[in-house]
Amino acid sequence: MKLIKFLIQAYRNQRRLKPKYYQLISWVGGIGCFISIVLWYSQLGLIAEVMNIDMDMPLRKMSGYTQISILSVMLFSFVLAMYIGCLALTILVFLIPVSLKYLTLEEYFNITLLCSYPERWYKGT
């Protein structure tokens, strides 16, 4: 339940940003997702090898347990790849403003880990 509340609050925080910051966050997220998908897709062969899956056999001819295992591992690895990719890109991108003293370390950690932005980034401030 806390995760759902956190995600809703993160979404609300992002929607309240000034247009230039909203655009920045959107670009970072979009590029992070693209990189994550490419990396995840490139690792599917390794995942299949680790699970000892015969890639020449159609999925429908495998047992139900094997099908569920494959799909579960693929879904979990996809979610993990998306999280790691977006987090890594966010960490790298926002190191630049920190090094230029535009952001404090506290603001940096709030942005990268908590999806909470500095007050000056919100509309109406």
Side-chain angles (χ1 to χ4, degrees):
M1 195 66 176
K2 286 184 180 184
L3 177 63
I4 293 171
K5 286 182 181 179
F6 172 77
L7 293 175
I8 290 171
Q9 186 60 44
Y11 175 76
R12 287 181 180 159
N13 286 345
Q14 186 174 357
R15 298 294 297 170
R16 290 184 15 231
L17 291 172
K18 291 178 183 175
K20 67 179 181 179
Y21 298 116
Y22 180 80
Q23 191 173 29
L24 172 67
I25 296 298
S26 297
W27 273 102
V28 170
I31 293 169
C33 288
F34 177 76
I35 291 170
S36 298
I37 290 170
V38 169
L39 292 175
W40 174 76
Y41 185 75
S42 69
Q43 296 301 314
L44 284 179
L46 177 63
I47 293 170
E49 187 179 317
V50 167
M51 291 183 69
N52 198 21
I53 298 170
D54 182 12
M55 296 301 287
D56 295 327
M57 181 186 294
L59 188 62
R60 67 180 175 273
K61 291 192 177 187
M62 296 179 186
S63 71
Y65 174 76
T66 304
Q67 291 175 354
I68 290 173
S69 297
I70 292 169
L71 294 175
S72 298
V73 168
M74 287 179 60
L75 179 64
F76 177 75
S77 65
F78 179 75
V79 170
L80 186 63
M82 292 296 278
Y83 177 77
I84 291 171
C86 289
L87 181 64
L89 188 65
T90 304
I91 287 170
L92 291 174
V93 166
F94 286 103
L95 274 177
I96 297 167
V98 170
S99 66
L100 297 174
K101 305 275 192 251
Y102 181 71
L103 290 175
T104 65
L105 281 176
E106 181 181 354
E107 291 171 336
Y108 172 73
F109 287 116
N110 286 339
I111 291 170
T112 56
L113 300 176
L114 303 177
C115 301
S116 176
Y117 308 102
E119 283 299 318
R120 65 183 180 277
W121 285 22
Y122 290 109
K123 293 176 186 172
T125 56

